[in-house]
Amino acid sequence: MFFRRKKNHLIGLDLGSHTIKLCELVEKKQHWALKKFGFKKIPREVIQEGMVKDPDILSKEIEFLLKRHEITEKNVAISVSGFSVIVKRISMPNMTDVELRSRINYEAEQYIPFDINDVNLDFQILGETSGKPDHMDIVLVAAKKDMVSDYIITLNTIGINAAVIDVDCFTIQNIYNHNYPGNEIIALIDIGASKTNINIIQNEQSLLLKDISIGGESFTQDIMNRIDCNFEEAEDIKLTGESELISQEEFLDIKTSTLMYWISELKRPLDSFVSSNPGEGIHKIIISGGSANIEGLSQTLTEETKIPVELFNPFQKFEVDPSVFDPAVIKRIAPMACVCMGLGIRRVGDK
């Protein structure tokens, strides 16, 4: 949503706290095709809660990944997330775009827990507020300037230009709309390392946006607290459920406790939405993120919410050559590739 320039081909570059990912997509006459996709694990201390902590290592890791996949394009689309990014849906009296731009800083101060001079602000008008004919709904986005600047400078040191800077939840929404046409009410749930985003959408519009302070690292930490292992070993146990370091009974006990806590936190905004919108039930939950593949999560979430749950497949409407990309790998990484693919379909100048 920030820093738009002329239209141009872009590389989608997802800079996650555990893994960096890139994709190059080709737009053909009737469809899109996946040309390149790559990912690389990075040290945990490089990016924490969306903030760049070690720009030197991050720039080297990005440069290595770009070279490994022979990427020559210098313009990339990236996104930001974490506790330095605030996304709010608000209602305001009807006004023109020009009037709104002159008042947005004043209005934003009521919702942004940072000094308004320290953030980049953007907004999108959604339409008339339900039940208030003289008001309009707006999505307000604020990202701390120092965080955004750190990403730009890190990329600039290796000759890369951040031509588009978006927000994770909107990149996921965009790639959902690209892959799943329809007008059903859908809850997109992206489980990050330390924060989970819920975005309830219909007809390409957000109806509810909510961040919850739960994430995959809490499960990893629960395992580390129970047995003597390091973070990487706990991550492997979390995703595979197998290790000589822990019994199946003990692992299942940890997993059940963690998943039930996650689901109790997720149900609150989902139930609140349903209560506030009688007759407008959520048709489906689609989950993404690094922890989406945890065995039993989808089934348990379905049982507890009584809403069908499925894993997000951002490759669904793309041509993916099986002679180039292993179908088994594509299926496994799909929920983790949503932000990257959402960035890959962006073009400089997009709204």
Side-chain angles (χ1 to χ4, degrees):
M1 297 184 73
F2 306 109
F3 313 109
R4 306 183 184 103
R5 300 183 184 179
K6 67 179 182 178
K7 283 206 175 274
N8 199 359
H9 179 69
L10 293 174
I11 299 297
L13 183 62
D14 176 16
L15 303 175
S17 57
H18 292 169
T19 310
I20 56 175
K21 311 169 193 73
L22 66 79
C23 69
E24 185 172 11
L25 306 174
V26 179
E27 189 174 6
K28 298 185 177 181
K29 287 185 178 181
Q30 301 296 327
H31 64 279
W32 288 70
L34 180 65
K35 183 178 179 182
K36 293 181 180 179
F37 191 92
F39 56 94
K40 186 181 188 304
K41 288 186 177 181
I42 61 173
R44 288 179 61 212
E45 65 273 10
V46 175
I47 298 177
Q48 296 180 1
E49 296 182 352
M51 302 287 289
V52 178
K53 299 297 184 180
D54 194 326
D56 291 338
I57 291 181
L58 180 59
S59 62
K60 291 176 182 176
E61 297 281 12
I62 295 170
E63 190 171 34
F64 176 86
L65 188 60
L66 293 170
K67 287 182 177 178
R68 186 170 75 184
H69 292 276
E70 300 179 342
I71 301 294
T72 58
E73 174 60 54
K74 300 301 182 182
N75 288 319
V76 302
I78 66 170
S79 62
V80 291
S81 63
F83 297 101
S84 293
V85 179
I86 304 296
V87 181
K88 292 280 187 181
R89 182 185 173 116
I90 65 174
S91 178
M92 290 180 60
N94 287 338
M95 63 186 72
T96 66
D97 189 83
V98 173
E99 290 172 329
L100 182 56
R101 287 192 179 278
S102 68
R103 288 187 53 181
I104 196 64
N105 280 23
Y106 170 75
E107 295 292 337
E109 285 184 313
Q110 304 174 57
Y111 304 98
I112 306 303
F114 312 124
D115 187 322
I116 204 68
N117 296 311
D118 294 337
V119 300
N120 290 313
L121 280 175
D122 205 347
F123 64 87
Q124 182 177 357
I125 300 174
L126 299 178
E128 186 177 285
T129 301
S130 177
K132 288 186 175 182
D134 296 327
H135 285 68
M136 58 185 181
D137 284 339
I138 296 165
V139 172
L140 179 68
V141 182
K144 294 193 75 172
K145 289 180 179 177
D146 57 351
M147 177 195 65
V148 175
S149 178
D150 285 346
Y151 281 107
I152 293 172
I153 292 171
T154 299
L155 292 168
N156 288 168
T157 60
I158 55 174
I160 300 299
N161 171 50
V164 168
I165 302 180
D166 211 326
V167 178
D168 277 9
C169 63
F170 295 130
T171 66
I172 293 172
Q173 181 177 334
N174 287 340
I175 197 64
Y176 171 82
N177 291 330
H178 183 92
N179 282 283
Y180 300 83
N183 61 357
E184 294 180 323
I185 297 177
I186 304 295
L188 302 178
I189 299 180
D190 184 58
I191 306 171
S194 58
K195 187 169 78 169
T196 291
N197 173 261
I198 298 176
N199 185 8
I200 299 178
I201 65 170
Q202 184 182 32
N203 293 328
E204 302 187 7
Q205 280 199 9
S206 293
L207 305 178
L208 179 145
L209 284 160
K210 180 74 174 179
D211 286 331
I212 303 174
S213 296
I214 59 172
E217 285 191 354
S218 65
F219 190 176
T220 307
Q221 191 62 53
D222 288 343
I223 296 171
M224 293 173 65
N225 291 340
R226 188 76 68 94
I227 63 174
D228 183 17
C229 67
N230 60 35
F231 184 87
E232 288 71 25
E233 290 170 331
E235 276 284 295
D236 288 340
I237 293 171
K238 176 180 74 175
L239 295 174
T240 66
E242 298 178 356
S243 175
E244 295 179 355
L245 299 173
I246 188 172
S247 69
Q248 271 293 297
E249 183 180 2
E250 195 169 18
F251 171 72
L252 290 174
D253 180 56
I254 298 170
K255 184 172 78 168
T256 300
S257 175
T258 301
L259 293 188
M260 292 308 296
Y261 172 70
W262 285 6
I263 291 168
S264 70
E265 293 296 302
L266 293 172
K267 282 189 65 179
R268 291 177 185 176
L270 298 177
D271 291 344
S272 176
F273 174 83
V274 173
S275 298
S276 302
N277 298 271
E280 297 286 348
I282 298 170
H283 295 91
K284 188 179 295 184
I285 296 171
I286 298 185
I287 57 175
S288 60
S291 295
N293 277 325
I294 293 174
E295 185 178 358
L297 173 58
S298 295
Q299 180 181 347
T300 306
L301 186 55
T302 298
E303 292 170 353
E304 294 297 320
T305 63
K306 305 298 188 277
I307 301 170
V309 178
E310 68 179 65
L311 294 178
F312 202 146
N313 178 13
F315 303 107
Q316 183 165 284
K317 293 291 185 179
F318 289 80
E319 175 188 316
V320 182
D321 187 344
S323 68
V324 178
F325 303 99
D326 184 340
V329 173
I330 290 295
K331 181 179 180 180
R332 175 174 56 83
I333 67 172
M336 299 177 282
C338 298
V339 170
C340 189
M341 291 291 287
L343 293 169
I345 62 175
R346 295 297 304 274
R347 294 294 180 260
V348 181
D350 288 349
K351 293 184 177 181

